Amino acid sequence: MFEDSTFESSNRIKSKSKYWMILTFIVNGSILLLLILIPLIYPEALPKAMMQTLLVAPPPPPPPPPPPPPQAPVHVVHVQSEMMNNQLVAPTKIPKDIKNVTEKEAPPSSFGVAGMEGLGGSSGGVIGGLFAGANNGPKVKAEAPKKVNISAGVAVGMLLQKTQPVYPPIAKAARVSGTVVLQATISKTGSIENLRVISGPAMLQQAAMDAVRSWRYKPYLLNNDPVEVETTVNVIFSLGG
């Protein structure tokens, strides 16, 4: 027993592991061979769902799009001008039949301006007719305004008759002076209407109104027609005058 456990006597030990290895290899090979042959001999034993998945062919790819329709051929027509170097060129072919083209008479010209016959226009033209119709139609006269406002300076230039105001003795004694501004309407005949006081010393207002009421003006003409005028009148009272 001790001899079998030493290294020197290891060559003498007889082992049966080689036979077991060969036997194991044969058994394993047989099992593997059976696993390969059984599906080939009995295909119905295989799972149908997996077989259908493996055996079904993939769907074919979609067909390619149709080619675009061919384009119509473009015919290029070369037109040769009959002018060469600004000169006419004789045609290459002379037609056998020559057709006479009859042109319709052009309508009479209706364009013209009244009073322009000597320059080629016609008095019965469109523009002439418009102007003639405007001249022959009723004339509309713009109505003159009933009243016009003018400045005091313009009113002074229209003055024909001026009466000097009487200085009130009480105002002179109180040494009151100044300018009385009046608003007045000059009628179409030149008389004063609607006289009223705008500003000025109270002692002098009545004397100024009494004097201005007798003033006379030239009628104010607008489009050669007399109209009423609204203006201001300044009456000056001075102690030294």
Side-chain angles (χ1 to χ4, degrees):
M1 183 176 180
F2 183 74
E3 292 178 359
D4 294 338
S5 61
T6 58
F7 291 100
E8 294 179 359
S9 61
S10 59
N11 293 330
R12 289 187 247 174
I13 298 174
K14 295 180 181 180
S15 174
K16 298 180 180 180
S17 59
K18 180 172 64 174
Y19 300 106
W20 284 106
M21 185 184 304
I22 294 173
L23 181 60
T24 304
F25 180 77
I26 293 172
V27 172
N28 293 334
S30 301
I31 295 172
L32 183 61
L33 184 61
L34 289 175
L35 293 176
I36 295 173
L37 293 178
I38 287 174
L40 296 178
I41 298 173
Y42 302 100
E44 61 273 7
L46 295 175
K48 294 182 179 181
M50 185 180 295
M51 291 296 296
Q52 290 177 356
T53 303
L54 296 176
L55 298 177
V56 172
Q71 296 182 355
V74 180
H75 299 283
V76 180
V77 179
H78 297 280
V79 179
Q80 185 175 2
S81 176
E82 296 182 358
M83 298 287 293
M84 182 177 293
N85 297 328
N86 296 328
Q87 295 181 357
L88 288 173
V89 180
T92 56
K93 294 180 181 180
I94 299 176
K96 295 180 181 181
D97 298 332
I98 299 176
K99 296 181 180 180
N100 294 327
V101 179
T102 58
E103 296 182 357
K104 296 181 181 179
E105 288 189 12
S109 175
S110 61
F111 182 82
V113 180
M116 300 295 290
E117 292 85 353
L119 299 178
S122 62
S123 60
V126 176
I127 299 180
L130 292 176
F131 282 102
N135 293 331
N136 296 333
K139 295 183 179 180
V140 179
K141 186 177 180 181
E143 184 180 358
K146 295 181 179 180
K147 189 178 290 187
V148 178
N149 291 326
I150 63 174
S151 63
V154 176
V156 171
M158 297 168 53
L159 186 60
L160 297 176
Q161 180 183 346
K162 179 179 180 180
T163 303
Q164 291 295 334
V166 178
Y167 212 116
I170 188 171
K172 186 179 287 188
R175 304 196 62 82
V176 177
S177 63
T179 302
V180 178
V181 181
L182 304 176
Q183 185 77 23
T185 300
I186 303 175
S187 66
K188 296 180 180 180
T189 59
S191 61
I192 295 295
E193 297 177 355
N194 300 328
L195 189 62
R196 53 198 179 276
V197 179
I198 295 178
S199 64
M203 292 184 181
L204 304 175
Q205 292 178 2
Q206 188 61 41
M209 293 181 67
D210 293 340
V212 172
R213 279 194 182 97
S214 62
W215 290 6
R216 292 293 179 268
Y217 289 86
K218 206 167 36 172
Y220 187 83
L221 300 178
L222 183 64
N223 297 330
N224 295 326
D225 293 329
V227 295
E228 292 184 351
V229 172
E230 191 78 15
T231 185
T232 56
V233 180
N234 299 326
V235 182
I236 302 173
F237 290 86
S238 176
L239 293 174

